[in-house]
Amino acid sequence: MPMTVETLRGHLTEAFPGAEIVIDDLAGDGDHYRARIVSAAFAGLPRVRQHQLVYAALKGQMGGELHALALETSAPPSSSPSGD
């Protein structure tokens, strides 16, 4: 059974509280999404690590209930690794 937008958003909101999250259903089938996430949790992290955090938030459902997820991750412009 495909993952709903609400379920996907729930996982991401739980993992990245206060993040700006935009989800698009790319194929209209509930199985192919694009997620744009802007979170302070990504500050100072390389893109690969940011994406690993997102996959961890999906609790093993990537590749099962969720077939494809295009990710765009970033930290807010005012975020810095030192918290300034």
Side-chain angles (χ1 to χ4, degrees), residues 2-4 7 10 14 17 19-20 22 24 27 37-38 44 47 49 52 54-56 66 70 72 76 78 80 83:
M3 181 180 290
T4 65
T7 300
E14 179 182 337
E20 177 185 325
V22 177
D24 299 309
I37 308 165
V38 179
R47 185 121 338 169
R49 183 65 185 126
Q52 288 171 337
V54 174
Y55 293 137
L66 182 59
E72 297 175 22
S78 61
S80 68

Side-chain angles (χ1 to χ4, degrees), residues 38-68:
V38 179
S39 173
F42 299 142
L45 298 178
R47 185 121 338 169
V48 169
R49 183 65 185 126
Q50 293 174 16
H51 290 197
Q52 288 171 337
L53 292 175
V54 174
Y55 293 137
L58 298 176
K59 303 173 183 173
Q61 294 175 325
M62 187 69 217
E65 292 179 42
L66 182 59
H67 177 71

Side-chain angles (χ1 to χ4, degrees), residues 1 6 25 31 37 60 65 69 74 82:
M1 179 172 188
E6 293 81 16
D25 187 342
D31 211 23
I37 308 165
E65 292 179 42
L69 179 63
S74 63
S82 63

